Amino acid sequence: MSGFLILSDVELAGLGITTAEVLTALEAAIAAQARGAVQVAPKSAVLPGDGRYVMTTLATGDAPDLTVVKSVMVSPRNPSRGLPGVEGVVLVQDSETGEMLALMQAGWLTGVRTAGLSAVAARRLAAPAAETITFVGTGAQARSHLAAFCDLFPLRRAVLVGRGAGNLERLGALARARGLEVEIASTPQAALAAADIVVSSVTLAYGMEPFLDARWLKPGAFAAITDAGVPWRAEGMAALAPLYIDDQAQELENSRPMVEPALVSGDLATLVTGPALARDPAARAGFVFRGMAIGDFAIAALALDRAREARVGTLADWRPRPGSDPA
């Protein structure tokens, strides 16, 4: 195919990619990284000092032959401009030639890959019969996790903790549409104590005072902590045992570890490629992560294949046409 595809979040969401397909793609990519077929750079971030948070990921591989770069910005002033609080773009190139293959809006991909990474861990660490899920943070990540976890567990009840009335209402409506009872929690402690599964997706902010404590979780609960553990009290994290992170090699490159390294049982590669984990039904388990390039790589590759099959997206090409004068 000559040229490259431009794909919006709406077009990507319309591809019909299922949770099962997302998990298959993620686990295959994690295994490929473990055997050296895909190489990744540590996630990078810049905090300009005015509330913005800019981050990038990079992965390249030969199975498939792709290089994927994602750039995302969190801007606290965007909602007042009528824009999403998080905006970004994904660039997909041929890893052999460098040719541009796709330019994707990053919202759908980020939501799906983050919920998918949580689900990869949850399939191994959460109670299979989990019925109550608590969301701390009720924005886009909570909505993506609701969809994925409803596909994996026999959920019956959703407990919500959030500050934005609009997001609370939207997430509650989606949960009811899935057949769940919805409760707005009186306190974060009550919300955590009620949960079989907790999803923490609080928007990162400078100087945030931690307000969640893993010791509030009941025995057998599982916490998917997508916000790098920032809202969680460090002194309570030892209550999560086992405790996994996304990428131990990446974490070694970070000057501010999400959790005390001695508490970490392993990472996603350990869970996916290692021996089957014997789950202790009385243990509180956790998965803490800041995001990893292999997730963006896996979902971008899956979405590109599906878009090509469905002939979705706008075809563009910035190379000169035959016979044209590039000057």
Side-chain angles (χ1 to χ4, degrees), residues 86-258:
V86 182
E87 188 59 275
V89 66
V90 178
L91 169 71
V92 185
Q93 296 170 271
D94 185 296
S95 62
E96 171 66 25
T97 67
E99 291 178 287
M100 181 83 143
L101 300 178
L103 194 64
M104 303 177 183
Q105 201 172 5
W108 173 87
L109 183 146
T110 299
V112 166
R113 82 76 156 120
T114 305
L117 292 172
S118 291
V120 168
R123 287 209 294 188
R124 295 161 171 84
L125 299 174
E131 294 186 346
T132 298
I133 186 167
T134 285
F135 293 96
V136 183
T138 55
Q141 287 294 350
R143 296 191 291 272
S144 295
H145 279 75
L146 174 68
F149 279 56
C150 279
D151 288 344
L152 293 179
F153 297 95
L155 299 176
R156 300 178 59 185
R157 179 179 173 225
V159 181
L160 313 184
V161 179
R163 293 180 297 176
N167 278 340
L168 278 167
E169 183 177 343
R170 184 175 179 185
L171 183 63
L174 290 172
R176 291 185 189 96
R178 287 273 193 164
L180 275 62
E181 299 175 7
V182 175
E183 174 187 332
I184 307 301
S186 56
T187 66
Q189 183 170 357
L192 264 59
D196 299 312
I197 294 173
V198 173
V199 176
S200 167
S201 60
V202 177
T203 301
L204 299 181
Y206 298 108
M208 176 182 289
E209 184 69 27
F211 63 96
L212 300 173
D213 196 314
R215 291 170 293 191
W216 297 340
L217 295 167
K218 67 183 181 182
F222 165 73
I225 301 173
T226 78
D227 39 36
V230 172
W232 294 74
R233 295 171 182 164
E235 62 270 22
M237 298 306 281
L240 298 174
L243 173 60
Y244 287 82
I245 62 174
D246 45 2
D247 189 326
Q248 288 182 296
Q250 172 177 270
E251 195 67 3
L252 288 173
E253 299 288 330
N254 200 290
S255 60
R256 296 181 62 182
M258 297 179 290

Side-chain angles (χ1 to χ4, degrees), residues 320 324-327:
S324 65
D325 183 356

